[in-house]
Amino acid sequence: MYHRDMTTGRAVRLEASEQGGRQTAPLPQEIIVIDDDRALLELTLLTVRAGGYRAVGFHDPLDALMWASDAEPTCIVSDLKIPGVEGLDLVAAFCALNRHAVIIVSAFVDVRMTVDAMRLGVDDVLPKPASDESLIRAIERGAAALPAVPVREDVAFTRRERQVAELMLAGNTTKQIAQTLALSPRTVEFFRASLLRKTQSPNSAALAS
């Protein structure tokens, strides 16, 4: 299990002896849980609620991003491999909101992925399936760190969002953008919607104006 040290920003591996000392931090906002597997999503929601937190679940990452964009600071628990959206691109979109603690739960955890995730701003990386105890501990750490998470009013864009925006403004279609960036059309649509949301533009034409 890896956790981002809020002082240094480095990934720190937590040993069993360091994971004790329960300290529940209340949150006014529901925990956001994202998993494309509906059965696992429901199990995770049950775990979070049994830990004393309110939670809302999404199997569609775009719906989750729309919710997170308007939500008060909270913890986001997300699977990394969701069909149609590149894993770290999805995480980067959540981190770019600059207000939430982000926790990854993935069956594909390795050192390189963990380091890349921490550089994006992820707070915790847990192997999947995560034990109930380790998940609640990660949420507690994220909740406790929220006062230190900057809530910025300026709009922050991820690298992928900037790439998609440039190609959109050049008049490229979703299919052309997907081919240029080696992404799936669904991933491009995800970032297109994210851009429109962040810029409060009603459509792509308005974004270009």
Side-chain angles (χ1 to χ4, degrees), residues 162-173 176-178 180-181:
R162 290 193 294 270
Q163 290 175 334
V164 170
E166 289 174 359
L167 292 170
M168 282 174 58
L169 294 176
N172 290 271
T173 65
Q176 290 170 330
I177 295 173
T180 300
L181 299 180

Side-chain angles (χ1 to χ4, degrees), residues 9-30:
R10 295 179 179 176
V12 178
R13 186 176 183 86
L14 297 179
E15 304 300 336
S17 61
E18 298 178 270
Q19 297 172 27
R22 188 180 182 107
Q23 184 179 2
T24 302
L27 284 173
Q29 181 70 48
E30 294 97 333

Side-chain angles (χ1 to χ4, degrees), residues 181-198:
L181 299 180
L183 298 173
S184 70
R186 172 61 175 158
T187 299
V188 174
E189 287 299 330
F190 174 85
F191 287 116
R192 181 192 297 273
S194 178
L195 286 164
L196 295 179
R197 180 75 169 182
K198 287 182 177 181

Side-chain angles (χ1 to χ4, degrees), residues 30 57 85 99 115 160:
E30 294 97 333
V85 179
R99 69 165 68 93
V115 171
R160 284 293 196 201

Side-chain angles (χ1 to χ4, degrees), residues 135-156:
L135 177 59
I136 295 302
R137 297 288 186 199
I139 291 174
E140 288 169 354
R141 288 190 296 271
L146 281 177
V149 175
V151 179
R152 291 163 43 183
E153 297 300 326
D154 57 309
V155 177

Side-chain angles (χ1 to χ4, degrees), residues 27-139:
L27 284 173
Q29 181 70 48
E30 294 97 333
I31 304 294
I32 301 171
V33 181
I34 306 104
D35 199 313
D36 65 296
D37 187 314
R38 293 176 184 269
L40 289 178
L41 175 61
E42 290 303 319
L43 285 174
T44 304
L45 289 171
L46 286 173
T47 298
V48 173
R49 290 164 182 162
Y53 295 94
R54 295 183 300 142
V56 59
F58 299 92
H59 60 86
D60 187 304
L62 181 55
D63 289 342
L65 181 62
M66 297 302 98
W67 179 282
S69 297
D70 292 330
E72 293 297 318
T74 188
C75 295
I76 297 175
V77 179
S78 180
D79 187 12
L80 189 63
K81 296 290 185 178
I82 295 182
V85 179
E86 303 295 325
L88 287 180
D89 284 342
L90 169 62
V91 169
F94 288 126
C95 291
L97 296 174
N98 295 307
R99 69 165 68 93
H100 304 300
V102 180
I103 301 164
I104 291 176
V105 181
S106 175
F108 304 92
V109 172
D110 57 33
V111 173
R112 179 175 181 178
M113 186 279 291
T114 298
V115 171
D116 289 344
M118 294 295 181
R119 285 174 175 167
L120 290 173
V122 168
D123 293 84
D124 260 293
V125 178
L126 307 178
K128 188 178 184 180
S131 69
D132 294 356
E133 183 71 12
S134 62
L135 177 59
I136 295 302
R137 297 288 186 199
I139 291 174

